[in-house]
Amino acid sequence: MPRKGEQAPLLSATQRDSSQNGITANLIFSCLGNTFEWYDFAVLGFIAPELSREIFPSNDASTGLIEAFSVYAVAFLCRPISGVLLGFLGDKWGRKNTITLALAIMGFATLLAGATPGFQTIGIWSPILLCIARMLQGLSVGAQSTGSILLVLEKSAYERHGLLTSVLIASQLSGFILGGLIPAVMRLWLTPEAMQSYGWRIALWIGLIPCVITFITHKDVSDEYTESQRSEGRQQSNGNDGGEIDGGHAPLNREQKAPSLKLDLCGILLAIGIYVGGALMFYLNMVWLPVFLQSTSGAAAGLAGTIAVSVFALGLIPIAGCIIDKVDPYLIGMAARGVNAVLAAPLCLWLFSSPSLLRYAVVMAVMLPFLAFDFVSTTKILVPYFPAEGRYISMAIANNAGVGLTGGTAPMIAQYLIMSFDHGYVLLGCYVSAALFTATLSVLSLWCRPRCHFKGGPNCVSLSQEEVRNKDSPKMASFISNSKLSSQAITIREA
């Protein structure tokens, strides 16, 4: 097996088929964790009107709302730190263990946020405690999202990554939907005074229910990465330093060409660029715009907008996942981002020139299909791009830095632009277009730097059984000399 610093070994066909049995348990665990994490992470944004009055009392409602969105953004500033710290743990300690730790942190943060007394009770300590809770949430969600993806996809064939990714994204979106839907329903059910007094706390604590269920189901989950590391240790203790291909065929020893593992910093920077466009689009459409509609058209409009967009998105994402499994993820990723980049500014101008629920629905109907392809293609591109030992920290840094730069600050920046400038929506549209063009160029740049560290992924090497046995064959010699490919980049053709 590979030495420390080399890639995890390629699973044989029999081993790969056997591993499929654990995908369902991993998928359920990851989906439940996603729902809990993203509900608790999102709900603070949707109860911003109550927080602005309870935690940030201000004579100006708009100023209080900006302060509440600022606390919402604090978590995103902590997410890059989470990507480094918990991403490192994910590569050293295992995906499952790191996800469990992240869920525990989120549970504690949710309890703290819901129990925070108001400004009138403890003064300045009220926003401080809320900021601490929000920072802990940022640390948690920054690791859980990446971990849930790797826990499922590393145990499955690359040909199914699009569909499985769409299921995972749908579970995140479900938590996000509930985070917006439950406060909206509670506002219709409770009086404004009751919602202000205790309703927002109940909305927070509801998110603890899936947390408990997730901890109950975690014992049935298997971690492909941890199991491969243990197998490597057993092989090394038996004196086998070579990596076996296809369960017992000729060993693949790449010690001469395999350097000690280093992070692909250029790849991480490009991956950050890939995330910024979709993150900005998502948090503007799913967090800020429903609150904006609520302030301009009433609570019913905000609720209707949240439900309509969420249901539409949930239907689109699985379709996008199935399509991406059949086409080149790089090409469809560039196309989806490029189209939204061109449409963003004019649609933004049209929407805010006369805001209404109907115009909001039209804009979402046009842009959401491309956003669905944006999300699913990102994972399909990045999982095989980064090496197994370093994949968690690389993707976590990219995800959290990209989302933190644009997604977390999106509601605050949008609210500021609309309030501060007569035609702030023009600036907002240009900002969205610039982010999406950046993402498009990042995908193109990554496409020009071919890497493959996953069987069946882009740029994967296809070898016959005879070519695997004969290391002097042209294809095998080319593979061994290419440090950009790992043993998981080989597809073994049946004789």
Side-chain angles (χ1 to χ4, degrees):
M1 300 297 291
R3 297 180 187 273
K4 185 176 181 180
E6 297 184 36
Q7 305 311 314
L10 173 69
L11 293 177
S12 68
T14 302
Q15 290 171 317
R16 179 69 71 178
D17 291 339
S18 175
S19 70
Q20 302 301 317
N21 297 329
I23 292 178
T24 301
N26 287 17
L27 189 61
I28 293 173
F29 173 77
S30 296
C31 287
L32 285 172
N34 283 342
T35 301
F36 161 63
E37 289 268 344
W38 284 93
Y39 174 87
D40 286 342
F41 194 69
V43 72
L44 269 177
F46 288 106
I47 61 174
E50 286 75 25
L51 288 178
S52 66
R53 293 186 291 269
E54 183 74 10
I55 307 297
F56 303 97
S58 173
N59 295 329
D60 180 26
S62 295
T63 301
L65 195 58
I66 290 179
E67 291 173 340
F69 279 138
S70 299
V71 171
Y72 185 77
V74 163
F76 290 86
L77 300 179
C78 292
R79 286 184 60 168
I81 300 174
S82 169
V84 175
L85 296 180
L86 296 187
F88 176 80
L89 284 180
D91 284 322
K92 294 297 182 182
W93 194 25
R95 285 53 164 137
K96 174 184 173 181
N97 294 331
T98 305
I99 294 174
T100 304
L101 174 62
L103 290 172
I105 295 174
M106 179 63 83
F108 173 77
T110 300
L111 285 172
L112 177 61
T116 299
F119 188 88
Q120 300 298 330
T121 303
I122 59 173
I124 191 62
W125 284 104
S126 180
I128 289 176
L129 286 176
L130 187 64
C131 281
I132 292 173
R134 191 63 182 161
M135 290 169 66
L136 290 174
Q137 286 188 330
L139 288 173
S140 171
V141 78
Q144 198 276 339
S145 296
T146 302
S148 66
I149 289 173
L150 297 183
L151 191 66
V152 174
L153 298 191
E154 288 182 335
K155 202 173 182 66
S156 63
Y158 182 74
E159 293 76 15
R160 300 178 61 196
H161 279 193
L163 178 60
L164 292 173
T165 297
S166 69
V167 174
L168 292 168
I169 294 175
S171 69
Q172 294 175 353
L173 184 58
S174 297
F176 214 94
I177 291 170
L178 292 173
L181 188 59
I182 289 177
V185 171
M186 291 180 68
R187 290 188 185 101
L188 299 177
W189 179 43
L190 297 175
T191 64
E193 293 76 16
M195 188 66 189
Q196 183 65 50
S197 176
Y198 62 84
W200 65 274
R201 301 180 189 274
I202 295 176
L204 276 170
W205 287 335
I206 285 175
L208 294 174
I209 297 174
C211 177
V212 174
I213 299 174
T214 303
F215 274 107
I216 292 174
T217 61
H218 91 286
K219 65 180 183 298
D220 298 323
V221 175
S222 60
D223 188 339
E224 185 73 29
Y225 180 76
T226 304
E227 290 170 0
S228 68
Q229 296 298 93
R230 289 173 180 169
S231 175
E232 174 185 339
R234 287 195 297 269
Q235 291 288 341
Q236 288 180 346
S237 66
N238 292 332
N240 183 1
D241 293 331
E244 289 186 349
I245 298 181
D246 203 27
H249 292 301
L252 172 66
N253 190 339
R254 298 185 56 189
E255 182 179 357
Q256 298 175 353
K257 295 292 181 180
S260 59
L261 180 66
K262 296 180 181 179
L263 294 179
D264 182 355
L265 297 181
C266 183
I268 292 174
L269 288 175
L270 291 174
I272 291 173
I274 290 176
Y275 277 109
V276 295
L280 178 59
M281 285 276 295
F282 181 82
Y283 285 96
L284 279 180
N285 296 331
M286 301 297 293
V287 176
W288 178 71
L289 271 176
V291 175
F292 178 81
L293 284 175
Q294 177 187 328
S295 64
T296 58
S297 306
L303 174 60
T306 301
I307 294 175
V309 171
S310 303
V311 171
F312 188 48
L314 277 178
L316 286 172
I317 288 174
I319 296 174
C322 292
I323 293 175
I324 286 179
D325 276 336
K326 306 297 183 182
V327 299
D328 188 328
Y330 284 92
L331 293 179
I332 200 167
M334 284 187 285
R337 291 166 173 85
V339 171
N340 268 345
V342 173
L343 294 175
L347 285 177
C348 191
L349 179 63
W350 179 72
L351 171 62
F352 289 103
S353 61
S354 180
S356 68
L357 181 59
L358 177 60
R359 291 197 174 199
Y360 173 58
V362 171
V363 170
M364 293 301 98
V366 173
M367 303 192 78
L368 275 183
F370 301 107
L371 186 61
F373 285 109
D374 181 331
F375 283 167
V376 180
S377 66
T378 298
T379 301
K380 186 94 174 179
I381 290 170
L382 295 182
V383 168
Y385 181 86
F386 292 110
E389 295 181 2
R391 183 177 291 143
Y392 200 132
I393 189 171
S394 298
M395 290 186 62
I397 290 174
N399 182 358
N400 293 300
V403 174
L405 284 172
T406 57
T409 58
M412 180 180 63
I413 291 176
Q415 187 73 17
Y416 173 77
L417 291 176
I418 296 298
M419 281 179 51
S420 303
F421 300 95
D422 292 336
H423 299 286
Y425 48 84
V426 176
L427 297 176
L428 180 60
C430 294
Y431 176 50
V432 175
S433 291
L436 288 166
F437 275 122
T438 300
T440 306
L441 293 175
S442 296
V443 176
L444 176 61
S445 300
L446 212 61
W447 190 35
C448 296
R449 304 180 77 248
R451 304 287 193 279
C452 188
H453 300 280
F454 203 95
K455 179 183 178 183
N459 307 303
C460 154
V461 177
S462 178
L463 299 173
S464 66
Q465 299 280 8
E466 184 61 31
E467 287 172 327
V468 170
R469 295 188 183 96
N470 181 12
K471 289 194 291 183
D472 294 327
S473 67
K475 281 191 176 181
M476 197 64 180
S478 174
F479 168 76
I480 293 176
S481 65
N482 190 348
S483 62
K484 298 176 183 178
L485 302 175
S486 72
S487 59
Q488 288 207 359
I490 294 182
T491 296
I492 307 297
R493 297 195 304 269
E494 297 295 333

CSV table of all heavy atoms in Angstrom, one decimal, residues 64 74 161 293 296 357 401 406 472 474:
chain,number,residue,atom,x,y,z
A,64,GLY,N,-31.1,48.8,12.8
A,64,GLY,CA,-31.1,47.6,13.6
A,64,GLY,C,-31.1,46.4,12.7
A,64,GLY,O,-30.4,45.4,13.1
A,74,VAL,N,-21.0,37.4,10.8
A,74,VAL,CA,-19.9,37.0,11.7
A,74,VAL,C,-19.6,35.6,11.5
A,74,VAL,O,-18.4,35.2,11.5
A,74,VAL,CB,-20.2,37.4,13.2
A,74,VAL,CG1,-19.3,36.6,14.1
A,74,VAL,CG2,-20.1,38.9,13.4
A,161,HIS,N,-21.9,10.6,-8.6
A,161,HIS,CA,-21.6,11.8,-7.8
A,161,HIS,C,-22.6,12.9,-8.0
A,161,HIS,O,-22.9,13.6,-7.1
A,161,HIS,CB,-20.2,12.2,-8.0
A,161,HIS,CG,-19.2,11.4,-7.2
A,161,HIS,ND1,-17.9,11.8,-7.1
A,161,HIS,CD2,-19.3,10.2,-6.6
A,161,HIS,CE1,-17.2,10.9,-6.4
A,161,HIS,NE2,-18.0,9.9,-6.1
A,293,LEU,N,-38.8,41.4,0.9
A,293,LEU,CA,-40.2,41.4,0.5
A,293,LEU,C,-41.1,41.6,1.7
A,293,LEU,O,-42.2,42.2,1.6
A,293,LEU,CB,-40.5,40.1,-0.2
A,293,LEU,CG,-40.0,39.9,-1.7
A,293,LEU,CD1,-40.3,38.5,-2.2
A,293,LEU,CD2,-40.7,41.0,-2.6
A,296,THR,N,-41.4,45.2,2.5
A,296,THR,CA,-42.0,46.0,1.5
A,296,THR,C,-43.5,45.6,1.2
A,296,THR,O,-44.3,46.4,0.8
A,296,THR,CB,-41.3,46.0,0.2
A,296,THR,OG1,-41.1,44.7,-0.3
A,296,THR,CG2,-39.9,46.6,0.4
A,357,LEU,N,-43.9,40.4,-5.5
A,357,LEU,CA,-43.7,39.0,-5.4
A,357,LEU,C,-43.7,38.4,-6.8
A,357,LEU,O,-42.9,37.4,-7.1
A,357,LEU,CB,-44.9,38.4,-4.6
A,357,LEU,CG,-44.9,36.9,-4.4
A,357,LEU,CD1,-43.6,36.5,-3.7
A,357,LEU,CD2,-46.1,36.5,-3.6
A,401,ALA,N,-14.0,29.9,2.6
A,401,ALA,CA,-13.5,31.2,2.2
A,401,ALA,C,-14.4,31.8,1.1
A,401,ALA,O,-14.7,33.0,1.2
A,401,ALA,CB,-12.1,31.0,1.7
A,406,THR,N,-18.5,36.2,0.0
A,406,THR,CA,-19.6,36.8,-0.6
A,406,THR,C,-21.0,36.4,0.0
A,406,THR,O,-21.9,37.2,0.1
A,406,THR,CB,-19.6,36.4,-2.1
A,406,THR,OG1,-19.6,34.9,-2.2
A,406,THR,CG2,-18.4,36.9,-2.8
A,472,ASP,N,5.9,-1.7,-18.0
A,472,ASP,CA,6.6,-1.1,-19.1
A,472,ASP,C,5.7,-0.7,-20.3
A,472,ASP,O,6.2,-0.1,-21.2
A,472,ASP,CB,7.7,-2.1,-19.6
A,472,ASP,CG,8.7,-2.4,-18.6
A,472,ASP,OD1,9.1,-1.5,-17.8
A,472,ASP,OD2,9.2,-3.6,-18.5
A,474,PRO,N,3.2,1.6,-22.5
A,474,PRO,CA,3.3,3.0,-22.6
A,474,PRO,C,2.3,3.7,-21.6
A,474,PRO,O,2.7,4.7,-21.0
A,474,PRO,CB,2.9,3.2,-24.1
A,474,PRO,CG,3.3,2.0,-24.8
A,474,PRO,CD,3.0,0.9,-23.8
